[in-house]
């Protein structure tokens, strides 16, 4: 959810109203349930470990002509779809995302397919993290279904074969242009428009450089100076404004008029009568909107827009703007989307939470609309949680073929509702299958258990079947529950710890579950919150997020011994009784209220680890930030967190204050690996230690490492199989070593074609060769040896078979 929405929503927006019947009975039941839960937690009732998914190959080690199968872990949806577009025939339907790429509906496969892949994009971005961003805009040419334009990472790409291949028509003038597909204005738009009758005429509206126009399919671009650049809304650095928004005047179902509307935020609406070559202020009498979030034309040519600043609904017709909210007494809200039926005088307007109004007479009168949501057939069952009072809404579009069907770009995926004129309910049904847009934070797999995946917003997914969509998520079906890290211990099978924290730091703590950090005894299926949370220096007892996010670890010898270094550089703490009490971690020489080394809660940072072979031993890497430069280095405790010694003084690798990863090798005392995991620095190599962090060596030939993981040893080997995302001898790929990093095999370069950034790597301790990859905007991918036939990855395919080399 966007930051400004988090500041304005309320707890009540996310929970269904409850009846107050028999409150005393409910209280008794809750107390009994709580007591039972605490008893189950403290007395550690054993649970059967869930079986890992069966192996695709029984080889147990490298073989001649070995092949790997790659697929997305089936979780489904979960990310913000920020815009929709279709051609006039409905043949091509696309959606843009805010974190990675864009999708196209593949009717033959009955699912969405990612458009930004190594098979479809130009060579210039077929690099490590080559396209790790959402699409600023994507639009289908109304008159040519095969023609799509996409604005991605500062450039405009064009496809003439329905997204299977993309070209960058012109690498210069004016590109690259700065924009942010994940800014607080990402739900505005559209920022591109294609002439309804000429697919070669395309316009692009940017935040900082205004409006650009091409008449030859994007080969050459000219700046349109008659539309001013949008004005900044805030004094912060960079462009603090949405880009210029664009609408060709085409009454739905009628002939295009040739006029084009352009909205420059802070300057108002402009109009062109020559397909965007020149503009003039839109003639209007009286007050008018200076900015809009979305807009549309109805079938009679009336323009409707929603103003996110004045929280108004506007209409424009016959040279006059009208504030419908004020004139008709409609509720003042943060309206987000507006849509008009091409076959009726029906207009629907909703706010950011999905509530709003519908008109069946072209805007003369309005009635409130309700909404509900459910998972559609074949979709991830857990998407049922979208049925909440707050249904995050970005964009809406009437289906060009199916009468009265409305599509919505929502906070968990793409949904549709059939809404005949006069209907007062938006009953959304998900059609999100194929979209994998969760932001991955972690993945672990304890020996004998199932893999457990943790991410932003929709928590923890335990996967007995990697091909089946999740039916639920933990630590409870509470939307926007982020899990930065998980850890397990060999001391107790099935025991897992997490630092789950709600991402909505401006709201929604009323239920006492703003932080759901705690433990599981059944491999991540059911969770118990820590009985207490400490109050770090500089925080208050009534701050629900005083101890939240960060990095966490559990002792290899005692599941009750846990250390947690929270975000915001706050004081780390340890517990030896499962969280009933906490004691501050005291690093000698620390000063001030913020002696920690984990600043921003969104960092992909794993700098605390338990030695997976030595009970009571933990390692903490401190980057020396703030007033504690002297703490920089690697610290070790051998008594569960009581006393700490600095075993390595100074920085382990440059820029290690950001996304660094410190990993302990299971079963091998004192064996550690470290990477700064940051590409924009002088040294991005892989370090290792075999003496508990006292000395470190750089692994020869391995650079730009995102993360490393440890899997089942190959037959005849005693050291775990190593997996990493990075470069070996200068070549990027997913790599495997079965001989303790002496040599490496490339498993593939871009699994399933993804050009996203790897944020975490995990591996299966029970199945040789199985590796898990988590990404910053496209969930998780898994690969393992399989009896498949290697071939080049095909655009829009949902799996890949690669040769090991």
């Amino acid at each position: 959810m966007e930051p400004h929405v988090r500041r304005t929503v309320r707890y009540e927006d996310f929970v269904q109203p409850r009846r107050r019947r028999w409150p005393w009975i409910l209280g008794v039941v809750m107390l009994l349930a709580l007591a039972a839960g605490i008893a189950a937690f403290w007395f550690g009732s054993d649970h059967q470990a869930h079986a890992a998914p069966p192996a695709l190959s029984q080889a147990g080690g490298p073989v001649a002509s070995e092949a790997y199968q790659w697929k997305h872990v089936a979780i489904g949806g979960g990310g913000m779809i920020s815009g929709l577009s279709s051609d006039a025939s409905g043949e091509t339907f696309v959606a843009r995302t805010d974190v990675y790429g864009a999708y196209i509906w593949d009717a033959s496969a009955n699912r969405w397919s990612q458009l930004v892949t190594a098979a479809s994009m130009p060579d210039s971005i077929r690099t490590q993290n080559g396209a790790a961003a959402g699409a600023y805009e994507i639009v289908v040419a109304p008159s040519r279904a095969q023609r799509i334009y996409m604005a991605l990472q500062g450039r405009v790409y064009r496809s003439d074969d329905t997204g299977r291949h993309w070209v960058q028509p012109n690498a210069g003038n004016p590109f690259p242009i700065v924009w942010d597909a994940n800014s607080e204005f990402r739900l505005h738009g559209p920022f591109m428009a294609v002439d309804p009758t000429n697919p070669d005429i395309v316009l692009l509206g940017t935040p900082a450089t205004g409006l650009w126009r091409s008449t030859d399919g994007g080969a050459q671009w000219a700046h349109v100076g008659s539309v001013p650049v949008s004005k900044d809304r805030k004094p912060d650095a960079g462009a603090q404004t949405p880009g210029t928004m664009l609408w060709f005047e085409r009454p739905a179902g009628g002939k295009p008029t040739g006029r084009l509307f352009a909205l420059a935020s802070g300057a108002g609406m402009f109009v062109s009568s020559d397909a965007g070559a020149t503009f003039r202020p839109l003639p209007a009498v009286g007050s008018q909107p200076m900015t809009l979030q979305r807009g549309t034309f109805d079938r009679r040519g009336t323009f409707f827009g929603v103003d996110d600043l004045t929280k108004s609904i506007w209409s424009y017709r016959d040279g006059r703007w009208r504030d419908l909210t004020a004139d008709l007494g409609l509720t003042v809200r943060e309206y987000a989307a507006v849509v008009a039926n091409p076959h009726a005088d029906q207009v629907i307007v909703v706010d950011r939470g999905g509530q709003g109004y519908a008109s069946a007479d072209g805007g003369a009168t309005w009635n409130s609309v309700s909404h509900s949501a459910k998972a559609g057939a074949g979709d991830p069952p857990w998407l049922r949680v979208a049925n909440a009072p707050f249904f995050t809404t970005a964009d809406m579009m009437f289906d060009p073929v199916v009468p009265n069907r409305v599509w919505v770009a929502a906070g968990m995926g793409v949904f549709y509702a059939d809404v005949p004129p006069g209907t007062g309910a938006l009953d959304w049904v998900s059609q999100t299958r194929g979209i994998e847009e969760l932001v991955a934070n972690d993945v672990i797999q304890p020996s004998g258990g199932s893999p457990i995946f943790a991410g932003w917003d929709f928590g923890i997914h335990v996967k007995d079947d990697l091909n089946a969509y999740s039916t639920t998520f933990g630590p409870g079906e509470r939307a926007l529950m982020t899990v930065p890290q998980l850890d397990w211990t060999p001391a107790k099978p099935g025991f897992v710890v997490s630092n789950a924290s709600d991402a909505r730091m401006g709201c929604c703590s009323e239920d006492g579950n703003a932080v759901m950090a705690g433990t599981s005894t059944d491999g991540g299926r059911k969770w118990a919150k820590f009985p207490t949370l400490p109050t770090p220096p500089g925080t208050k007892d009534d701050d629900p997020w005083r101890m939240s996010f960060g990095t966490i670890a559990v002792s290899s010898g005692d599941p009750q011994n846990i250390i947690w270094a929270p975000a915001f550089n706050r004081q780390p703490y340890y517990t030896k009784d499962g969280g009933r009490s906490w004691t501050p971690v005291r690093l000698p020489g620390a000063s001030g209220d913020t002696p920690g080394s984990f600043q921003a809660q969104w960092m992909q940072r794993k700098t605390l680890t338990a030695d997976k072979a030595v009970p009571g031993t933990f390692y903490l890497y401190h980057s020396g930030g703030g007033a504690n430069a002297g703490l920089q280095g690697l610290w070790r405790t051998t008594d569960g967190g009581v006393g700490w010694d600095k075993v390595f003084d100074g920085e382990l690798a440059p820029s290690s204050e950001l996304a660094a990863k410190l990993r302990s090798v299971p079963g091998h005392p004192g064996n550690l690996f470290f990477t700064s995991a940051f590409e924009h620095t002088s040294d991005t190599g892989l370090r290792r230690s075999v003496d508990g962090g006292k000395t470190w060596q750089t692994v020869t030939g391995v650079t730009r490492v995102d993360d490393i993981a440890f899997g089942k040893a190959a037959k005849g080997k005693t050291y775990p199989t190593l997996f990493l995302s990075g470069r070996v001898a200068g070549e990027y790929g997913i790599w495997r070593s079965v001989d303790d990093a002496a040599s490496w095999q490339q498993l593939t370069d871009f699994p399933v074609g993804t050009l996203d950034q790897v944020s975490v790597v995990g591996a299966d301790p029970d199945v040789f060769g199985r590796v898990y990859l988590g990404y910053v905007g496209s969930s998780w991918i898994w690969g393992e040896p399989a009896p498949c036939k290697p071939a080049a990855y095909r655009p829009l395919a949902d799996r890949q078979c690669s040769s090991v080399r």
Side-chain angles (χ1 to χ4, degrees):
M1 179 179 289
E2 57 275 35
H4 60 291
V5 171
R6 290 176 184 159
R7 290 194 296 268
T8 57
V9 295
R10 300 168 302 162
Y11 169 71
E12 290 79 7
D13 291 331
F14 289 87
V15 294
Q16 299 285 4
R18 297 185 180 183
R19 296 180 179 178
R20 297 176 56 88
R21 186 187 306 173
W22 302 105
W24 65 273
I25 295 179
L26 178 62
V28 172
V29 171
M30 289 179 66
L31 287 173
L32 291 174
L34 177 62
I38 292 174
F41 173 69
W42 289 118
F43 295 108
S45 58
D46 292 328
H47 301 276
Q48 181 179 359
H50 296 280
L56 299 178
S57 169
Q58 302 303 316
V63 296
S65 302
E66 187 179 5
Y68 255 67
Q69 175 184 279
W70 302 91
K71 290 186 67 178
H72 271 281
V73 176
I75 292 176
M80 187 78 231
I81 302 299
S82 50
L84 304 170
S85 179
S86 173
D87 69 294
S89 71
E91 179 181 338
T92 302
F93 185 19
V94 297
R96 62 174 161 100
T97 78
D98 59 356
V99 286
Y100 179 66
Y103 287 85
I104 187 168
W105 177 253
D106 186 344
S108 62
N110 192 33
R111 59 172 171 78
W112 292 91
S113 293
Q114 176 63 246
L115 289 168
V116 180
T117 70
S120 63
M121 299 303 293
D123 289 340
S124 59
I125 64 171
R126 290 191 186 112
T127 61
Q128 185 177 5
N129 311 343
Y136 175 67
E137 189 58 273
I138 187 168
V139 62
V140 185
S143 63
R144 185 184 298 177
Q146 298 75 29
R147 169 72 62 85
I148 311 174
Y149 294 93
M150 178 171 58
L152 178 78
Q153 288 191 314
R155 304 183 187 278
V156 173
Y157 298 89
R158 189 190 76 217
S159 174
D160 290 315
D161 59 1
T162 323
R164 286 167 174 78
H165 299 91
W166 296 86
V167 297
Q168 184 185 332
N170 188 346
N173 180 31
F175 306 105
I177 295 176
V178 176
W179 58 61
D180 182 0
N182 198 24
S183 77
E184 67 175 282
F185 305 110
R186 67 194 185 280
L187 308 189
H188 291 61
F191 303 125
M192 295 181 77
V194 181
D195 188 285
T197 60
N198 186 344
D200 289 333
I201 297 179
V202 58
L203 292 100
L204 168 70
T206 69
T209 61
L211 184 60
W212 297 84
R213 180 175 184 262
S214 174
T215 60
D216 54 9
Q220 300 294 328
W221 293 82
H223 188 258
V224 182
S226 50
V227 175
V229 176
S230 295
K231 298 179 181 179
D232 280 358
R233 295 188 180 183
K234 295 185 291 188
D236 300 349
Q240 299 298 324
T241 183
T244 307
M245 286 169 270
L246 300 152
W247 301 271
F248 271 98
E249 186 180 43
R250 179 175 182 174
K255 277 191 170 184
T257 65
R259 294 207 308 170
L260 172 64
F261 282 24
L263 190 284
S265 187
M269 190 74 83
F270 295 77
V271 64
S272 171
S273 298
D274 52 13
T278 60
F279 285 80
R280 60 189 175 90
L282 181 69
V285 176
S287 62
Q288 57 186 290
M290 289 293 102
T291 188
L292 295 173
Q293 180 160 335
R294 291 279 174 177
T296 191
F297 286 96
D298 75 358
R299 68 170 181 164
R300 299 184 184 276
T302 301
F303 180 84
F304 290 89
V306 288
D307 185 339
D308 57 312
L309 283 186
T310 64
K311 302 178 181 179
S312 303
I313 305 167
W314 293 86
S315 69
Y316 177 85
R317 186 173 181 84
D318 299 330
R320 178 176 177 263
W321 283 101
R322 186 183 180 195
D323 183 344
L324 299 177
T325 309
D327 289 356
L328 301 179
L330 305 179
T331 304
V332 174
R333 290 174 173 162
E334 289 188 279
Y335 291 103
V338 55
V339 66
N341 195 329
H343 307 297
D345 294 332
Q346 181 186 24
V347 183
I348 302 171
V349 177
V350 299
D351 65 13
R352 291 172 176 170
Q355 304 205 31
Y357 296 97
S359 173
D361 53 13
T365 60
W366 298 80
N367 294 303
S368 297
V369 294
S370 63
H371 66 80
S372 66
K374 68 178 182 179
D379 259 26
W382 69 270
L383 289 180
R384 64 179 175 274
V385 302
N387 188 33
F390 197 97
F391 183 81
T392 307
T393 303
D395 188 17
M396 294 194 300
M397 180 190 82
F398 264 99
D399 192 295
V401 177
V402 181
N404 304 321
R405 174 162 291 181
V406 179
W407 293 92
V408 64
M412 296 185 195
V414 179
F415 292 69
Y416 71 87
D418 293 319
V419 192
T423 301
L426 295 169
D427 295 321
W428 298 114
V429 180
S430 73
Q431 188 167 306
T432 301
R433 52 194 174 275
I435 293 177
E436 293 288 351
E437 205 202 340
L438 284 175
V439 177
N441 281 333
D442 207 359
V443 53
I444 64 169
Q445 185 172 345
S447 181
S450 298
I452 312 171
F453 302 86
W456 275 85
D457 292 353
F458 298 101
I460 299 166
H461 296 256
V462 182
K463 305 298 291 184
D464 295 333
D465 185 346
L466 295 166
N467 293 301
Y469 284 127
S470 301
T471 58
T472 186
F473 60 90
E477 288 189 352
R478 190 180 193 275
L480 302 183
M481 181 54 63
T482 294
V483 181
Q485 191 168 5
L486 302 165
D487 197 24
W488 59 277
T489 175
K492 185 174 183 180
F495 189 91
V496 184
V497 62
S498 90
N499 52 0
S501 307
D502 194 325
R504 296 165 296 185
M505 296 190 67
C507 87
C508 310
S509 62
E510 288 86 339
D511 63 354
N513 287 326
V515 174
M516 297 183 72
T519 60
S520 170
T521 59
D522 63 354
R525 294 284 182 171
K526 297 179 182 177
W527 291 85
K529 292 196 303 181
F530 289 129
T532 66
L533 291 178
T535 301
T539 67
K540 297 180 179 180
D541 290 337
D542 60 356
D543 177 1
W545 285 272
R546 63 190 183 276
M547 190 77 177
S548 56
F549 304 101
T551 179
I552 196 166
V554 57
S555 169
S556 61
D558 180 5
Q560 300 293 299
N561 184 194
I562 299 161
I563 301 181
W564 184 2
F568 316 113
N569 280 344
R570 289 174 181 162
Q571 176 81 55
Y573 281 80
Y574 71 89
T575 178
K576 291 192 174 184
D577 55 15
R580 282 178 291 180
S581 63
W582 296 85
T583 305
V585 168
R586 305 291 187 186
L587 300 183
S591 64
D593 287 346
T594 53
S597 184
F598 196 116
Q599 175 53 43
Q601 74 272 26
W602 45 263
M603 285 183 180
Q604 294 288 346
R605 185 171 175 81
K606 310 286 192 300
T607 48
L608 169 68
T609 186
D611 192 303
K612 291 300 182 185
V614 183
T617 297
F618 294 79
Y619 306 92
L620 173 65
Y621 177 71
H622 200 295
S623 58
N628 285 282
L631 298 184
Q632 187 179 68
L634 186 73
W635 295 80
R636 180 178 65 187
T637 179
T638 58
D639 53 11
V642 179
W644 292 80
D645 297 307
K646 184 189 282 189
V647 294
F648 184 90
D649 187 34
E651 192 173 51
L652 282 177
S655 302
S656 56
E657 74 279 8
L658 301 172
K661 310 292 194 305
L662 175 66
R663 300 299 195 184
S664 172
V665 182
H668 292 264
N671 277 229
L672 303 170
F673 284 85
F674 183 87
T675 175
S676 67
F678 184 62
E679 61 181 300
H680 304 293
T681 191
S682 58
D683 183 350
T684 57
L686 181 66
R687 271 91 169 154
R688 72 173 306 178
S689 174
V690 295
D691 58 7
K694 295 177 182 178
T695 61
W696 293 83
Q697 297 79 38
T698 300
V699 179
T700 304
V702 180
T703 57
R704 273 293 308 276
V705 177
D706 298 311
D707 197 7
I708 186 169
F710 318 104
K712 183 178 176 63
K715 285 182 178 179
K717 303 290 184 178
T718 58
Y719 205 78
T721 300
L722 306 180
F723 297 93
L724 63 81
S725 166
R727 294 179 183 173
V728 176
E731 184 175 0
Y732 174 71
I734 308 303
W735 298 85
R736 181 185 75 186
S737 175
V738 297
D739 55 10
D740 194 8
S743 63
W744 297 89
Q745 295 173 292
Q746 187 186 43
L747 306 180
T748 189
D749 48 7
F750 306 104
V752 202
T754 186
L755 298 172
D756 198 4
Q757 178 180 341
V758 173
S759 57
V760 63
V761 180
D764 191 317
D766 303 316
V767 174
F768 170 76
R770 182 179 287 162
V771 59
Y772 308 106
L773 308 167
Y775 291 87
V776 299
S778 51
S779 280
W780 294 267
I781 289 172
W782 111 89
E784 66 177 281
C788 58
K789 185 177 180 179
Y793 175 70
R794 296 179 294 103
L796 309 187
D798 67 345
R799 69 188 67 195
Q800 176 190 4
C801 184
S802 64
S803 295
V804 177
R805 62 184 186 87

